[in-house]
Amino acid sequence: MESHLDAAQRDRLRQMLEAQRATLRETLRGEVLAADIHRAEDIADRVRDPGDEAVVDLLADLEYADIDRHIGALRATEAALRAWHDGRYGVCADCGGPIPYARLEAYPTASRCIDCQAEYERAGGPTPRL
């Protein structure tokens, strides 16, 4: 498939995706280490007040939500890199049309053009995470 992106644009976007992947991996590594499940259990064992336990649960939920969000972003980045290597990067997953370079530069993991993304969101699909 012939890409609408020139070689310099493709290379810049690949570099952005690879840098994003490295950053996400490092972030996840730190979050997983910091989220040490036993830490929350140890704190919960020391507190007997239901309010304190609720705070501990909330903090653990927030840590896990961050980890989940970063895992989703890493998966999207990996999918974009696979598409880049397969020659499908920058092609809308819905209509097959080109995703403009400006959109890809702002949101390198975009899998839809702006019109298709807007329609997807109107239909109840989730908004993309950055």
Side-chain angles (χ1 to χ4, degrees):
M1 168 183 262
E2 184 70 26
S3 177
H4 66 285
L5 303 169
D6 65 35
Q9 291 172 328
R10 284 181 47 80
D11 190 52
R12 170 153 168 67
L13 292 166
R14 180 189 51 78
Q15 289 174 5
M16 289 172 65
L17 287 165
E18 289 174 348
Q20 183 173 320
R21 177 177 58 188
T23 299
L24 285 166
R25 284 180 174 172
E26 189 57 36
T27 298
L28 277 165
R29 188 175 295 114
E31 286 175 343
V32 169
L33 291 174
D36 184 5
I37 295 170
H38 301 296
R39 181 182 70 190
E41 292 173 351
D42 289 344
I43 294 170
D45 286 343
R46 284 186 249 143
V47 295
R48 299 291 178 225
D49 181 85
D52 290 341
E53 288 180 26
V55 169
V56 169
D57 289 343
L58 175 65
L59 292 174
D61 288 347
L62 290 173
E63 287 177 341
Y64 296 133
D66 278 345
I67 290 170
D68 186 51
R69 184 173 52 86
H70 288 124
I71 287 171
L74 181 58
R75 286 180 177 152
T77 303
E78 293 287 351
L81 282 166
R82 279 191 305 277
W84 190 93
H85 288 288
D86 294 345
R88 298 176 289 112
Y89 183 71
V91 177
C92 179
D94 291 349
C95 72
I99 300 173
Y101 176 71
R103 175 162 169 73
L104 292 170
E105 189 173 38
Y107 183 53
T109 59
S111 62
R112 293 180 181 86
C113 66
I114 292 171
D115 291 340
C116 289
Q117 183 64 40
E119 183 58 36
Y120 179 74
E121 291 172 20
R122 273 193 297 278
T127 57
R129 296 186 228 174
L130 296 180

